[in-house]
Amino acid sequence: MRFLHSFVTPLLLLAAGAAQAASSWGFDDAKLTVSPKKATGGANDKDVRQFNDKSSLVGSPVTFDSSDSLKLLLTIKENGKGKRPHQAFLVLRQQGTTLEAPFPLTVKDNGKATVEIKHTDLPVQFAAGKELLEASIVLASFGSSEGFRKPFFDVELTRDPNATPVVYERPLRYGKQPEIHHIFRADPKSPPKVVSLVFVLAVLATLPALFVGWLVIGANISHLPKALGAAPVAHGVFFGSIVAMEGVFYMYYASWNLFQTIPVIGLVGTAAFLSGAKALGEVQSRRLAGER
């Protein structure tokens, strides 16, 4: 029994290790090429490197110029068989930071995968920086198979000196801002006294014109006692409301603000409307009676 127990335990461990090794993602026949923009047929490839999922970092950094195209070909496998995973990415991470950019691989059902990256596909933070980019391959899918992530090569970005430099502008971030000290506008000032006096004199100059007009059209001052006798309150309030309205305009000019002026205008205007209807009705009754 002891012999059997000592023999079974290693077999179980070996079987568990084999099952764990079998249920994982990987890849084979990876080929990395860096080609100029106008290269055709692979004859002018600047850099070609081959590796698989067991390889370590592939030599020196890959030089990736602004006019180059970086292309990766590989065969993705699960348990040694070509298969398409749910997720397959080539991830570039800026060394020294946590900034990374994933580039999805185009994968066929048999596991053949490819991805091509141009300089314009890189985030502006990568293009503007000088740090190396660490390139990792990420594979994962549904099921019990263990996902795969491992760095395989570094990328060194270079740019044509004659090309327009890349400028990175930090985006707007919502957060705590510096204290704002409000500066309110000074209260509006009255116009110069000279200008005000000119307009006052212009208004006063119309009074003689008003009296002359009354004389020309035949205004009858002798009707004043009769009008006041027939409707003293209406005529008094109506005339007083006109004078009061002028006083309101003066106070607005001198010291009041708009919120103080509007309510008073409402009250004076209401009084003028009600008393004016009564006073002008009295005037109309005398006109209809033939009194001029």
Side-chain angles (χ1 to χ4, degrees):
M1 292 296 293
R2 292 182 179 178
F3 173 77
L4 180 60
H5 184 271
S6 62
F7 181 72
V8 171
T9 301
L11 284 180
L12 292 176
L13 294 175
L14 181 62
Q20 183 179 6
S23 56
S24 62
W25 288 94
F27 66 89
D28 202 358
D29 301 329
K31 182 178 180 181
L32 172 69
T33 59
V34 178
S35 306
K37 186 175 182 180
K38 298 182 180 180
T40 57
N44 297 323
D45 290 342
K46 295 172 59 176
D47 199 343
V48 179
R49 305 192 185 189
Q50 295 182 342
F51 55 95
N52 55 42
D53 56 6
K54 303 297 189 298
S55 304
S56 56
L57 280 176
V58 183
S60 58
V62 177
T63 303
F64 189 22
D65 193 66
S66 56
S67 61
D68 292 342
S69 174
L70 187 149
K71 188 173 183 180
L72 177 65
L73 302 172
L74 53 86
T75 302
I76 300 175
K77 295 183 178 181
E78 182 188 26
N79 194 18
K81 297 181 180 180
K83 193 174 180 181
R84 180 170 63 182
H86 181 253
Q87 296 179 348
F89 293 96
L90 174 64
V91 179
L92 299 181
R93 184 180 65 84
Q94 193 175 54
Q95 295 187 6
T97 69
T98 58
L99 182 63
E100 61 182 23
F103 297 90
L105 279 72
T106 302
V107 188
K108 298 181 180 179
D109 291 336
N110 60 2
K112 297 290 185 181
T114 179
V115 63
E116 185 172 0
I117 304 173
K118 297 181 174 58
H119 227 270
T120 54
D121 299 329
L122 299 175
V124 65
Q125 295 91 334
F126 285 0
K130 298 181 180 179
E131 295 84 356
L132 293 177
L133 305 180
E134 180 186 76
S136 302
I137 295 177
V138 178
L139 307 172
S141 190
F142 302 108
S144 59
S145 297
E146 184 180 356
F148 179 89
R149 174 162 186 166
K150 183 179 178 181
F152 287 96
F153 57 92
D154 293 331
V155 179
E156 181 181 4
L157 300 179
T158 59
R159 290 187 61 83
D160 185 355
N162 298 323
T164 304
V166 178
V167 179
Y168 170 63
E169 297 182 1
R170 294 182 62 86
L172 176 63
R173 303 293 186 187
Y174 292 98
K176 183 179 179 180
Q177 300 294 326
E179 182 180 0
I180 298 176
H181 297 278
H182 294 281
I183 300 176
F184 298 96
R185 286 190 309 176
D187 293 334
K189 297 181 179 179
S190 301
K193 291 184 178 181
V194 176
V195 177
S196 300
L197 289 175
V198 169
F199 281 93
V200 169
L201 294 176
V203 172
L204 294 177
T206 60
L207 294 178
L210 176 64
F211 295 141
V212 171
W214 283 349
L215 295 175
V216 170
I217 63 176
N220 194 346
I221 305 298
S222 62
H223 284 189
L224 182 60
K226 187 174 183 178
L228 294 176
V233 176
H235 284 288
V237 174
F238 181 59
F239 182 77
S241 63
I242 296 175
V243 176
M245 188 66 73
E246 296 298 329
V248 171
F249 289 148
Y250 172 77
M251 292 302 298
Y252 176 66
Y253 167 80
S255 61
W256 285 1
N257 56 38
L258 193 61
F259 296 102
Q260 294 173 307
T261 305
I262 290 178
V264 180
I265 287 179
L267 293 176
V268 175
T270 302
F273 176 77
L274 297 176
S275 61
K278 182 68 175 177
L280 295 178
E282 187 276 331
V283 173
Q284 184 183 24
S285 64
R286 285 188 286 108
R287 291 294 179 92
L288 294 175
E291 299 179 6
R292 298 288 181 180

